[in-house]
Amino acid sequence: MTPQAETAVAHAARRYFDAKRPSVRLARQFVTTTLTSWGITGEPIEDIRLCASELTANALTHGTRRGHGFLVSLSAFGDLVRLEVHDSCDVTAERLPQVRQAAGTQGSGRGLRIVESLAQDWGVDRREPFGKVVWSQFKAVCEDQQTGVVPPAPKT
């Protein structure tokens, strides 16, 4: 197999969400529905769903400008699934998402530690013309890559 074929995206889906509290739940549902339609089940889907919840909550709390929501993007290639959460706040040294050590009584500050523990890799990229993308990658194989049968795309 050529290197290009190995990195070809087998599946991709994305959805925009308003900057409102119910959007975190809706984003989790979008991730679950999409991954299930791709034939991903079990622990990988739960890990990706939990990380989607953490990253979208962070985008809602720290990453959206007034009048802007956030975008959730999923793609599958090879044995990896990539989750991206795009928001409208630029990456600066002061606002760079990073793993923190939360005190035992703090009600926040653990989200990226959860992402770091569940994902194969994660990071932050600049987004043009403004904003950032916080991404994470997970080991997971789509059903069609195991059997050669392509499941239908999720209804949006």
Side-chain angles (χ1 to χ4, degrees):
M1 188 180 290
T2 68
Q4 292 167 331
E6 289 177 350
T7 60
V9 174
H11 297 284
R14 57 192 324 172
R15 182 170 297 161
Y16 175 83
F17 297 91
D18 292 326
K20 298 178 181 175
R21 288 184 64 95
S23 292
V24 174
R25 177 181 48 81
L26 295 172
R28 276 194 312 267
Q29 290 172 343
F30 164 71
V31 166
T32 302
T33 301
T34 300
L35 295 175
T36 300
S37 76
W38 294 350
I40 297 172
T41 59
E43 188 174 333
I45 200 170
E46 293 305 319
D47 291 350
I48 298 166
R49 183 180 124 111
L50 179 55
C51 289
S53 186
E54 295 298 336
L55 295 180
T56 57
N58 284 352
L60 182 63
T61 304
H62 308 290
T64 54
R65 294 180 180 181
R66 171 166 261 152
H68 294 270
F70 57 89
L71 179 78
V72 175
S73 175
L74 290 164
S75 55
F77 48 97
D79 65 348
L80 293 175
V81 171
R82 183 176 175 103
L83 165 69
E84 297 178 351
V85 178
H86 301 235
D87 67 38
S88 54
C89 281
D90 292 331
V91 176
T92 63
E94 301 82 37
R95 295 190 57 85
L96 182 66
Q98 55 188 306
V99 175
R100 302 192 191 287
Q101 184 63 43
T105 58
Q106 286 180 309
S108 63
R110 294 174 182 81
L112 289 178
R113 185 162 303 284
I114 291 169
V115 172
E116 182 181 59
S117 70
L118 296 176
Q120 295 293 118
D121 196 11
W122 76 277
V124 181
D125 294 327
R126 292 188 190 283
R127 184 173 185 257
E128 296 298 331
F130 57 85
K132 67 184 171 300
V133 178
V134 183
W135 57 268
S136 51
Q137 290 186 165
F138 305 84
K139 286 278 191 188
V141 178
C142 298
E143 183 177 282
D144 63 316
Q145 292 174 312
Q146 295 172 5
T147 64
V149 176
V150 178
K155 295 183 183 196
T156 56

